[in-house]
Amino acid sequence: MSDTAGTSPEGQEPPGRTPGPGSGTGSSPSGRGVARRRRRRWVWGTGIAVSLALVGAAAAGWAVYMKLEGNITPDEAAAAELARYEKDRPTALVKDALNLLLIGSDSRAGAENGRYGHDPGTERSDTVILLHLSAGRQSATAVSIPRDLMVDVPDCRRPDGSRSAPMFAQFNAAFEVGGSACTVRTVEKLTDIRVDHHVVVDFEGFKDMVDAVDGVEVCLREPIDDKDADLRLPAGRVTLDGEQALGYVRARKTLGDGSDTGRIERQQRFLGALVNKVRSNGVLLNPVKLYPLLDAATSSLTTDPGLASLRGLYELVRGVRDIPTEGVRFLTVPRESYAGDVNRDQLAQPAAGELFERLRKDEPVSVNTHGEQKATQKETGTPQSSSPAPTFSGNTAAEDSCA
């Protein structure tokens, strides 16, 4: 058999094969077979590259998720203590309405927090806000509870395991005695409102969250020069970084009339400005902007186990992100000077009772920045839900403090 057996004469196709474009070369280096093999290798290589990219992205995403998830500290001790008193706690009246207790700790523990003063081994609640989210998430009402308000503090479990005796004391003593669980129980006893979740944040965490959104703008009617707070700011509109913001919301003696009332009002206006900054910059919808905020927030949070996960926090944020800024209201619990000490406060009735009842029933509450709180009179035989919403002094996140 010759070496040419099975081949066609030059320029002809083998029997049974139909010539086609570029087919004359058969399996030659520039033929269709090589082209197909090259395409297959390209597709295969591209598939591998895409798969590796997806695996890498998934791995990076998982790493970010696990980092943020690991940042959050679950408050297991508080959960156990609250479970112990479950039968004594208020019952939620409205499905899907939610009440969160936001606690700002004045602890100086840790390298960063230690810069704000000596830590005597105790900490108190520097700021406490009861945040009510309406069913359907159409509004959010943030009620500040003054630290100097005189209240009944129940018996609580101390950090060393011993138990305190019930006492009548100023409100922020509850956190010092029994931490977040004692604060939650004190608020529930005071308001008869079920606290569904609680969050504790410290000084450093507050600063980091402000820095994560590149500062927050406030309006100062007068220049500030407060040596204790290390705060020197001009009058007018000014953007505060984290350190300045912390001094601004904590300063008391040199700003306004030096009262805790003025300090609470500044905190409320600052929080309103922070809400505006987060919403206006699209932070919640932009992963690049959202990650630093989440990292700062989660690194400083101690929450009940139900919120101590990204999923729990996401569900919360998703429910409130569409609330209009005019629907985010800030006010202080109605109070007056305590009869036994003019430097302390007590609840002002019946206004305080009506506020708590409305929050408990998820009924409307209005705020008025230019007037004193006014509680409507209840009419005999008229259902509470049909009465006009009482108006309390406060502000909303939509208001411009410079206007």
Side-chain angles (χ1 to χ4, degrees), residues 10 14 119 167 212 221 270 287 292 315 355 370 377:
E10 185 176 351
D119 181 7
M167 60 181 175
R221 300 189 180 280
F270 182 86
E315 290 297 327
L355 171 63
H370 303 295
Q377 297 294 323

Side-chain angles (χ1 to χ4, degrees), residues 78-350:
E81 177 73 356
L82 291 173
R84 173 175 178 165
Y85 290 93
E86 178 60 35
K87 69 180 187 307
D88 298 324
R89 300 182 65 192
T91 301
L93 299 183
V94 180
K95 182 181 179 181
D96 295 331
L98 206 61
N99 297 297
L100 295 91
L101 196 65
L102 310 178
I103 305 171
S105 167
D106 70 354
S107 172
R108 271 71 167 180
E112 294 296 327
N113 291 328
R115 292 184 297 150
Y116 302 108
H118 174 64
D119 181 7
T122 61
E123 55 181 320
R124 295 195 177 194
S125 50
D126 197 55
T127 299
V128 173
I129 295 174
L130 179 62
L131 177 63
H132 174 78
L133 304 177
S134 66
R137 303 299 183 265
Q138 297 301 308
S139 67
T141 304
V143 181
S144 296
I145 303 177
R147 59 187 181 184
D148 294 336
L149 188 71
M150 299 301 294
V151 299
D152 289 310
V153 178
D155 65 299
C156 295
R157 185 183 185 276
R158 295 190 180 97
D160 63 4
S162 63
R163 302 200 67 84
S164 66
M167 60 181 175
F168 185 67
Q170 61 187 74
F171 174 67
N172 65 346
F175 194 72
E176 179 185 10
V177 171
S180 53
C182 193
T183 303
V184 168
R185 292 181 58 217
T186 300
V187 169
E188 290 185 340
K189 185 177 181 67
L190 180 73
T191 66
D192 199 27
I193 295 172
R194 172 79 177 209
V195 174
D196 302 292
H197 298 289
H198 68 271
V199 176
V200 182
V201 61
D202 63 17
F203 290 161
E204 193 63 22
F206 174 83
K207 288 169 42 185
D208 288 345
M209 283 187 281
V210 174
D211 286 333
V213 296
D214 297 323
V216 174
E217 183 184 85
V218 297
C219 181
L220 305 179
R221 300 189 180 280
E222 298 178 355
I224 295 176
D225 187 358
D226 190 317
K227 294 181 180 179
D228 291 338
D230 193 21
L231 195 62
R232 293 172 180 79
L233 299 169
R237 295 185 184 274
V238 57
T239 298
L240 306 181
D241 62 23
E243 190 74 39
Q244 293 170 325
L246 180 62
Y248 177 71
V249 300
R250 295 192 66 241
R252 179 173 177 176
K253 296 179 180 179
T254 61
L255 299 185
D257 60 4
S259 69
D260 198 41
T261 298
R263 187 179 67 95
I264 290 174
E265 290 175 353
R266 283 196 305 278
Q267 291 174 352
Q268 293 172 348
R269 292 190 180 280
F270 182 86
L271 290 175
L274 177 59
V275 169
N276 266 326
K277 180 64 177 287
V278 171
R279 291 171 65 95
S280 64
N281 280 20
V283 172
L284 298 178
L285 300 177
N286 186 332
V288 175
K289 294 181 178 180
L290 181 59
Y291 174 77
L293 179 60
L294 284 177
D295 189 34
T298 56
S299 296
S300 66
L301 295 185
T302 298
T303 78
D304 62 277
L307 275 186
S309 68
L310 282 184
R311 181 174 182 177
L313 291 174
Y314 172 75
E315 290 297 327
L316 176 63
V317 172
R318 185 179 67 172
V320 302
R321 68 185 179 189
D322 294 328
I323 296 177
T325 51
E326 60 270 19
V328 181
R329 307 179 183 97
F330 299 91
L331 62 147
T332 304
V333 61
R335 82 273 192 215
E336 60 193 9
S337 294
Y338 172 54
D341 185 344
V342 294
N343 294 315
R344 300 289 180 263
D345 292 328
Q346 63 185 21
L347 292 181
Q349 300 293 4

